[in-house]
Amino acid sequence: MPTAQGNASLGHGGRLDEHYDAASASQGHPLQARLREAFLAAGRDPECLSVDAIAGIDQLHLGGRSASRALAERGKVQGGERVLDVGCGTGGASRLLAAEYDCDVVGIDITAAFVEVARWLSSATGLAGRTRFVCGDAANVPLATGSFDLIWCQHALMNMPQVPRVLAEWRRLLGSGGRVLLHEVVVGDNPEPLALPVPWARTPANSHLRSREQLERALALAGFEPLAIEDVTQAALSWRETRAERESGTQKAARALPGPALIFGDDFALMGRNLRDNLAAGKVSVLAGVWQRTGR
């Protein structure tokens, strides 16, 4: 594991690559290759996969697919809407929005290994024609002004140090009346330091948590008005608790399907326990909300 001093010498994108593709660095084996081998070992064709088969690596946020569906319903997602999935990871939410809500989805992520995997999984599940993925920085998106009806973001702002720039991009990219659907980890009421590592950070350098008040103020200043905001911490904690035992034994089982440990590395079980404990102690909370772009 690189030291905190070593991390400091890297740029933002490099630190995130180091964190989210840590297993590749330690094993010298690219993420997509590891996952393909794991599917073969589980008796699955890596070129033809079901959405259930990839569930363990599909959506790397609290609540998984159920949280994404709840956010889509909260935001009244409609068929035909143009969606930008910010911090798309391996592309699970993008595929869900395309397959279940008939949206036209572009996913963007700064971690190149995630984008490569997202493209492969969309192809393997038959959704390559309905999803597109771009490797880039959310603070400087290489897409046209007014290209989207909806910005979708789950558990990604906490990795972004320049949130005002990111929100300015969201406003630029949305058409008039466009919406932001956000599912995000924020600072809780307990001021004690986080137990680390957690899924988004091994050291404080990668964690850019904000309080609910700071996040709401940033959105207001960027030109977004709230339509609905809900604290979903208890649901997130319950989901995390139900996953802990299963994840700790997943990779030990014969012919097991790939899980998040293949992405995050051997310390993923510890990350999960720390996240559970941080939630239970009130060090972090989870919000789900909908905002609308104001003005022209």
Side-chain angles (χ1 to χ4, degrees):
M1 187 74 62
T3 65
Q5 183 177 359
N7 283 339
S9 68
L10 295 173
H12 171 58
R15 288 196 300 271
L16 291 183
D17 281 343
E18 186 179 74
H19 172 72
Y20 285 116
D21 204 12
S24 293
S26 65
Q27 301 173 18
H29 202 24
L31 176 59
Q32 184 179 158
R34 291 200 315 278
L35 293 173
R36 284 177 175 274
E37 289 172 2
F39 279 115
L40 286 170
R44 305 298 177 95
D45 179 358
E47 298 302 331
C48 184
L49 296 165
S50 69
V51 292
D52 288 335
I54 67 174
I57 57 170
D58 195 42
Q59 298 203 34
L60 305 174
H61 54 256
L62 287 161
R65 288 183 288 178
S66 61
S68 295
R69 291 187 181 108
L71 185 62
E73 295 304 316
R74 182 177 283 108
K76 300 178 181 178
V77 175
Q78 302 294 316
E81 288 195 294
R82 301 165 300 164
V83 181
L84 179 65
D85 181 4
V86 178
C88 65
T90 57
S94 297
R95 286 185 289 275
L96 183 147
L97 290 166
E100 298 186 16
Y101 294 88
D102 195 29
C103 293
D104 178 15
V105 189
V106 177
I108 185 168
D109 203 285
I110 202 170
T111 301
F114 277 175
V115 173
E116 182 183 58
V117 168
R119 291 169 178 160
W120 156 51
L121 292 178
S122 280
S123 176
T125 54
L127 290 167
R130 306 178 69 183
T131 56
R132 181 164 66 92
F133 299 98
V134 176
C135 186
D137 189 338
N140 187 23
V141 179
L143 297 170
T145 296
S147 299
F148 299 96
D149 304 302
L150 181 66
I151 299 291
W152 176 281
C153 186
Q154 290 186 275
H155 290 29
L157 286 180
M158 69 247 205
N159 273 141
M160 299 181 189
Q162 298 176 319
V163 162
R165 285 182 56 184
V166 172
L167 299 184
E169 280 290 81
W170 291 4
R171 182 173 174 81
R172 178 184 70 81
L173 290 160
L174 283 172
S176 178
R179 309 187 309 290
V180 169
L181 271 61
L182 186 61
H183 178 224
E184 185 66 14
V185 180
V186 297
V187 173
D189 294 330
N190 184 344
E192 295 178 6
L194 288 182
L196 294 173
V198 287
W200 68 90
R202 289 178 171 82
T203 71
N206 280 347
S207 184
H208 300 283
L209 293 179
R210 292 157 186 87
S211 69
R212 173 173 177 169
E213 293 75 17
Q214 288 172 324
L215 185 55
E216 289 189 51
R217 177 170 172 75
L219 282 155
L221 289 172
F224 296 99
E225 62 177 354
L227 300 181
I229 308 173
E230 183 180 356
D231 187 313
V232 294
T233 304
Q234 190 54 52
L237 175 58
S238 297
W239 184 88
R240 182 63 258 164
E241 289 174 336
T242 63
R243 294 303 186 274
E245 183 176 349
R246 187 175 73 182
E247 287 170 351
S248 66
T250 293
Q251 297 307 315
K252 299 176 184 178
R255 297 174 69 82
L257 289 166
L262 277 177
I263 295 174
F264 291 94
D266 293 339
D267 53 355
F268 178 73
L270 175 60
M271 290 178 175
R273 291 194 298 272
N274 284 342
L275 177 53
R276 175 200 62 199
D277 294 346
N278 287 324
L279 285 163
K283 297 178 183 181
V284 296
S285 298
V286 185
L287 295 182
V290 183
W291 284 260
Q292 188 169 42
R293 185 188 189 278
T294 60
R296 294 183 178 180

